[in-house]
C-alpha cells in the first residue's frame, strides 16, 4: 500500500513538474536562461567525458567533486534552486513525509540539470576500461546522480533553517561569499596548492568524498576487487537513504513549524517623515534576516575576493576589497522596492512620503555600507604597502557609494521584480517567487552600472593622482541626488502601477506584450543576444579592464589568466583593446537586439512595455 502511494505520488508530481517546465518554455526570458545554462552545462559535461577518455582518473575524480559541489552550492545562488513544486503546496494532503520527499526527489529528475549531470556521469562508463567495469558504472552513476540531487535538496533545507536565526544567516552568508569568491579567484589557491605538489592529495581526498565513490567502484571492478565494489555502492545507497531521511525530517519542520510574530522591542523614534522613514529603513537592515544576510555576504565577498591572492603573496588587490564590497552590495539590493512587496502600500497612502522614503533608503544604504567599506579600504590599503593605490581607491570609493545608493533606488522602481511578501515567505527563505531569472538579470546589470559610476574619478586619479578624490566625491553626490530624484518622480507618477505589479505580478496580456517583439525574432538571434549579454563581461572586465589597470599602475609581476599580460611589448595593449572591443560589441549586439525587439512590440515604446 505504501509503495503504491509512493508510486502514485511520484507519478503525479513528475507530471506536474513537466507541465510547469512546458509552461516555462513559453516565457522567452526564462527560455533564454534555460538555453544558455543548458549550453554551458553540455560544454562542461563534454569536458568531463574528455577527461575520462584521456584516462586520467585522478583529474576525473576531482572534476566529479566539483560537479557535486556545484549541486550543493549552485541553488544557494539561484534563489533556493528550482522549487516549482514547493512542499507547502501539499501541506493539507494526507501524505507521509517520506512519501512526499521521495515524490519530490523523483520529480526533481525531470529537469535540464539532472540530464546534463547524467551525461557528465557517463564518464564513469568510459573510465572503466573494460566491459565488466562499464556494467558496474551503470548503477554507480545512477546512485551518484541521486546523491547529487539529494545533497542539493538537503543543502537548501539546512540553509533555510540557518536563515531563520541571526547567527545562522551570518554563517551562511560568509560561506556563500567564500564559495562565490572562489569561483572567480580560486585560481590563486589552486596555483598555491599545485606549487606545493599536493595534486595527489587532492585526488585522494576526492576519492574519499562521496562524489568519488562511484569512480572507486568502477576502478575496483576493473581490478576485480568485488568487495570494494560492494562497499562503494553500498556506501552510496546508505548515504542516499540517510540524506532522504534527513530531508524528510526538515520538510516536516518546514511545513508544520509555527511562525510566531516577533515581539516589538522598541517603537520607532522618528518625529517627522524623514526621521521616521530613516528609522524604519535601518530597522529593516538590522532585523530582517535576509537584509542582514545580504549585507554580510557583500562585505565578506569583497574581502575574500581580494584576499585570496594572498596565497601567492600578491597584495595588489587588497586596496580594492572595499570597492568590491560596495558593488556587490548594490547588486544584491537592486530590487529594494520589489522585496518590500505590498508593504509599498503604506508609503503610497501617506501624502508626501515618496521623497522621504527614497532618501531614507539611500541614507540607510550609506550608513550600513559606508563606514565599514571605508575602514576596510584604509586598513587593507595600508597593509598592501602600495602607496600608488591611495589616490585610486580614495577616488573610487565615494563615487561607488554615491552611485550605488542612487542606482539601488532607481533600479528598484524602474525595473522592480515581483517577489514573495516578507510575511508570506515559505520555509525556504531563498525562494522569493517565480521571477528568479529576471532578478538575477538585474543583479548582473547592476554590477556593470555601479562599477561604471567610478569611471570619471578613476580616469582622473590615474592621470593626475589626488585630484581624483574631489571628482569621486562630486560624482558620488551627483549620482546619489540625480538617481534618487528619478526614483521619486517615478514613484509619484507610477506608484499605483508599481504596487499593482508587486501585488499581482504581470498579467498574461502584459507578459505577451513584453515578449511580443522577442517572439518575432529568429531563435538563433534571441539565443545569440542572450549569450552575448551573459558572457560579454568576461572579455571586457577580466581580459581588458583589469590588465589595463595593472599596466597603468606598473604591476608587471602578475599574469594569472589575463591573456594580454602573456604578450610582449605593445602587443599587450593590442590584446587589451581587442578584448575591450569584443566585450563592448557583445553588449551592444545583445542590448540593441532586445531594445529593437521591444520597440517593435505593441505599444510602440520601451517605456510602454516596461511599465
Amino acid at each position: 500500500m505504501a509503495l503504491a502511494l509512493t508510486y502514485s505520488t511520484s507519478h503525479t508530481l513528475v507530471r506536474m513538474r513537466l507541465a510547469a517546465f512546458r509552461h516555462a518554455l513559453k516565457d522567452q526570458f526564462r527560455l533564454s536562461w534555460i538555453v544558455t545554462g543548458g549550453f554551458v552545462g553540455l560544454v562542461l559535461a563534454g569536458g568531463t567525458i574528455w577527461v575520462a577518455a584521456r584516462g586520467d582518473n585522478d583529474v576525473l575524480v576531482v572534476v566529479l567533486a566539483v560537479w557535486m559541489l556545484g549541486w550543493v552550492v549552485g541553488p544557494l545562488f539561484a534563489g533556493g534552486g528550482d522549487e516549482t513544486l514547493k512542499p507547502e503546496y501539499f501541506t493539507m494532503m494526507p501524505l507521509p513525509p517520506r512519501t512526499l520527499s521521495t515524490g519530490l526527489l523523483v520529480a526533481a529528475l525531470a529537469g535540464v540539470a539532472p540530464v546534463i549531470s547524467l551525461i557528465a556521469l557517463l564518464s564513469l562508463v568510459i573510465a572503466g576500461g573494460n566491459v565488466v567495469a562499464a556494467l558496474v558504472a551503470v548503477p554507480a552513476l545512477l546512485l551518484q546522480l541521486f546523491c547529487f540531487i539529494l545533497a542539493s535538496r538537503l543543502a537548501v533545507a539546512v540553509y533555510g533553517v540557518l536563515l531563520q536565526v541571526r547567527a545562522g544567516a551570518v554563517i551562511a552568508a560568509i560561506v556563500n561569499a567564500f564559495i562565490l569568491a572562489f569561483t572567480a579567484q580560486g585560481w590563486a589557491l589552486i596555483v598555491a596548492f599545485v606549487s606545493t605538489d599536493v595534486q595527489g592529495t587532492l585526488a585522494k581526498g576526492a576519492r574519499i568524498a562521496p562524489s568519488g565513490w562511484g569512480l572507486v567502484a568502477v576502478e575496483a571492478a576493473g581490478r576485480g576487487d568485488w568487495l570494494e565494489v560492494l562497499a562503494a555502492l553500498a556506501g552510496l545507497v546508505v548515504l542516499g537513504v540517510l540524506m532522504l531521511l534527513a530531508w524528510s525530517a526538515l520538510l516536516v519542520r518546514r511545513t508544520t513549524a509555527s511562525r510566531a510574530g516577533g515581539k516589538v522591542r522598541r517603537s520607532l523614534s522618528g518625529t517627522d517623515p524623514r526621521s521616521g522613514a530613516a528609522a524604519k529603513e535601518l530597522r529593516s537592515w538590522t532585523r530582517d534576516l535576509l537584509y542582514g544576510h545580504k549585507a554580510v555576504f557583500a562585505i565578506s565577498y569583497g574581502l575574500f575576493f581580494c584576499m585570496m591572492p594572498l596565497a601567492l603573496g600578491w597584495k595588489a588587490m587588497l586596496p580594492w576589497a572595499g570597492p568590491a564590497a560596495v558593488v556587490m552590495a548594490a547588486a544584491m539590493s537592486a530590487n529594494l522596492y520589489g522585496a518590500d512587496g505590498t508593504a509599498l502600500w503604506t508609503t503610497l497612502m501617506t501624502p508626501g512620503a515618496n521623497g522621504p522614503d527614497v532618501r531614507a533608503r539611500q541614507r540607510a544604504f550609506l550608513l550600513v555600507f559606508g563606514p565599514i567599506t571605508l575602514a576596510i579600504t584604509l586598513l587593507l590599503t595600508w597593509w598592501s604597502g602600495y602607496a600608488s593605490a591611495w589616490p585610486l581607491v580614495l577616488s573610487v570609493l565615494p563615487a561607488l557609494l554615491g552611485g550605488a545608493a542612487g542606482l539601488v533606488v532607481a533600479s528598484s522602481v524602474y525595473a522592480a521584480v515581483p517577489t514573495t511578501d516578507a510575511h508570506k515567505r515559505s520555509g525556504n527563505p531563498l525562494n522569493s517567487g517565480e521571477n528568479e531569472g529576471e532578478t538575477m538579470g538585474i543583479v548582473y546589470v547592476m554590477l556593470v552600472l555601479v562599477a561604471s559610476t567610478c569611471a570619471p574619478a578613476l580616469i582622473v586619479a590615474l592621470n593626475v593622482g589626488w585630484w581624483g578624490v574631489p571628482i569621486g566625491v562630486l560624482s558620488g553626490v551627483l549620482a546619489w541626488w540625480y538617481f534618487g530624484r528619478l526614483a521619486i518622480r517615478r514613484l509619484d507618477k507610477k506608484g499605483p502601477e508599481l504596487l499593482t505589479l508587486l501585488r499581482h505580478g504581470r498579467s498574461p496580456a502584459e507578459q505577451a506584450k513584453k515578449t511580443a517583439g522577442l517572439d518575432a525574432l529568429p531563435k538563433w538571434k534571441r539565443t545569440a543576444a542572450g549569450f552575448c549579454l551573459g558572457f560579454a563581461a568576461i572579455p571586457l572586465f577580466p581580459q581588458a579592464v583589469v590588465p589595463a589597470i595593472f599596466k597603468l599602475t606598473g604591476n608587471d609581476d602578475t599574469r594569472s589568466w589575463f591573456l594580454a599580460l602573456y604578450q610582449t611589448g605593445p602587443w599587450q595593449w593590442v590584446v587589451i583593446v581587442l578584448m575591450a572591443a569584443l566585450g563592448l560589441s557583445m553588449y551592444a549586439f545583445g542590448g540593441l537586439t532586445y531594445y529593437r525587439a521591444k520597440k517593435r512590440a505593441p505599444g510602440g515604446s520601451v517605456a510602454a512595455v516596461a511599465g
Side-chain angles (χ1 to χ4, degrees):
M1 183 66 180
L3 184 61
L5 178 61
T6 301
Y7 172 79
S8 175
T9 302
S10 301
H11 181 261
T12 302
L13 292 178
V14 168
R15 292 178 60 190
M16 293 174 64
R17 176 68 182 86
L18 291 175
F21 183 72
R22 288 194 299 269
H23 178 73
L25 294 179
K26 298 178 182 179
D27 186 335
Q28 292 299 327
F29 188 85
R30 296 178 67 182
L31 177 60
S32 64
W33 277 95
I34 294 172
V35 171
T36 303
F39 173 77
V40 174
L42 287 175
V43 171
L44 296 176
T48 305
I49 294 175
W50 175 74
V51 170
R54 292 182 57 194
D56 194 344
N57 287 356
D58 284 349
V59 176
L60 177 61
V61 73
V62 175
V63 172
L64 292 177
V66 174
W67 274 96
M68 189 166 189
L69 181 63
W71 270 97
V72 172
V73 304
L76 306 184
F77 299 107
D82 184 1
E83 281 208 339
T84 304
L85 305 178
K86 296 181 181 180
E88 288 84 358
Y89 293 162
F90 312 98
T91 302
M92 302 302 294
M93 298 186 67
L95 293 175
R98 294 177 189 175
T99 299
L100 177 59
S101 59
T102 302
L104 292 173
L105 174 64
V106 175
L109 294 172
V112 176
V115 173
I116 292 176
S117 296
L118 181 63
I119 295 174
L121 287 172
L122 291 176
S123 58
L124 296 179
V125 178
I126 299 174
N130 56 51
V131 176
V132 175
L135 292 175
V136 172
V138 174
L141 68 89
L142 293 177
L143 290 171
Q144 198 78 72
L145 179 62
F146 272 100
C147 285
F148 283 1
I149 298 175
L150 276 168
S152 177
R153 292 293 185 267
L154 185 60
V156 171
V158 172
Y159 193 85
V161 172
L162 289 177
L163 285 183
Q164 303 296 331
V165 294
R166 194 173 305 278
V170 171
I171 294 172
I174 294 174
V175 172
N176 271 5
F178 176 84
I179 294 171
L180 185 60
F182 183 83
T183 61
Q185 294 285 68
W187 59 269
L189 301 182
I190 293 173
V191 170
F193 282 138
V194 171
S195 65
T196 56
D197 194 25
V198 296
Q199 301 95 314
T201 303
L202 287 176
K204 291 179 181 178
R207 280 186 169 84
I208 295 173
S211 59
W213 293 354
L215 182 60
V216 169
V218 171
E219 290 176 331
R223 299 191 305 268
D225 189 347
W226 295 105
L227 182 61
E228 188 173 355
V229 171
L230 292 176
L233 295 180
L236 288 173
V237 172
V238 172
L239 177 64
V241 171
L242 292 176
M243 287 194 294
L244 181 61
L245 293 175
W247 185 36
S248 300
L250 290 175
L251 284 182
V252 172
R253 183 186 186 278
R254 173 173 171 177
T255 55
T256 61
S258 61
R259 295 176 175 84
K263 182 180 179 181
V264 178
R265 289 174 288 180
R266 184 166 55 87
S267 59
L268 296 177
S269 56
T271 58
D272 54 46
R274 293 184 59 187
S275 59
K280 183 260 294 183
E281 282 305 307
L282 288 176
R283 295 290 179 88
S284 297
W285 281 104
T286 56
R287 292 189 179 180
D288 190 315
L289 294 183
L290 283 182
Y291 272 66
H293 170 80
K294 292 176 181 179
V296 175
F297 172 84
I299 298 299
S300 301
Y301 176 82
L303 290 172
F304 287 132
F305 182 82
C306 296
M307 294 183 73
M308 282 186 179
L310 286 175
L312 299 176
W314 183 39
K315 297 183 178 181
M317 290 199 69
L318 289 177
W320 302 98
V326 173
V327 174
M328 182 56 68
M332 297 296 290
S333 307
N335 196 32
L336 204 58
Y337 275 98
D340 278 5
T342 55
L344 178 62
W345 175 82
T346 58
T347 301
L348 297 180
M349 293 300 294
T350 305
N354 291 339
D357 186 72
V358 168
R359 294 305 183 187
R361 291 174 187 266
Q362 292 182 288
R363 290 197 300 273
F365 183 90
L366 292 175
L367 288 174
V368 170
F369 295 102
I372 189 169
T373 54
L374 177 60
I376 290 173
T377 300
L378 295 176
L379 179 62
L380 295 187
T381 304
W382 169 78
W383 183 18
S384 70
Y386 285 89
S388 59
W390 283 106
L392 298 179
V393 294
L394 293 182
S395 301
V396 165
L397 185 62
L400 287 177
L401 283 170
L407 286 169
V408 160
V409 292
S411 68
S412 62
V413 295
Y414 274 91
V417 179
T419 60
T420 305
D421 279 2
H423 66 285
K424 294 182 179 179
R425 289 172 187 164
S426 67
N428 176 13
L430 292 171
N431 191 281
S432 55
E434 300 178 355
N435 302 299
E436 295 296 341
E438 195 172 349
T439 302
M440 292 303 297
I442 295 177
V443 168
Y444 293 139
V445 171
M446 280 291 287
L447 289 173
V448 177
L449 292 179
V450 175
S452 65
T453 59
C454 71
L458 181 60
I459 292 174
V460 173
L462 286 172
N463 287 279
V464 293
W466 288 99
W467 281 105
V469 176
I471 298 298
V473 173
L474 178 62
S475 64
V477 171
L478 288 177
W480 176 87
W481 172 80
Y482 177 71
F483 289 119
R485 184 183 180 189
L486 289 181
I488 295 170
R489 288 183 173 181
R490 180 72 172 183
L491 273 182
D492 289 338
K493 184 178 180 181
K494 295 287 186 178
E497 289 86 344
L498 177 60
L499 177 60
T500 302
L501 172 66
L502 298 181
R503 183 177 182 181
H504 301 292
R506 294 185 179 90
S507 66
E510 290 172 330
Q511 282 290 111
K513 183 187 293 186
K514 181 183 177 184
T515 59
L518 295 176
D519 292 339
L521 294 177
K523 287 187 177 180
W524 71 266
K525 198 167 187 178
R526 292 199 302 265
T527 304
F531 178 85
C532 288
L533 290 177
F535 294 95
I538 295 178
L540 180 58
F541 290 100
Q543 298 299 335
V545 174
V546 175
I549 293 176
F550 285 171
K551 291 285 294 177
L552 293 172
T553 56
N555 183 6
D556 299 322
D557 300 328
T558 302
R559 292 184 176 182
S560 179
W561 65 305
F562 307 121
L563 179 63
L565 300 184
Y566 284 91
Q567 312 304 315
T568 57
W571 287 105
Q572 292 184 333
W573 284 109
V574 171
V575 174
I576 289 174
V577 171
L578 290 176
M579 285 295 178
L582 176 61
L584 292 173
S585 300
M586 292 172 68
Y587 272 126
F589 174 78
L592 288 175
T593 299
Y594 280 93
Y595 175 78
R596 290 169 179 169
K598 289 184 177 182
K599 289 287 285 185
R600 289 193 292 267
S605 70
V606 177
V609 175

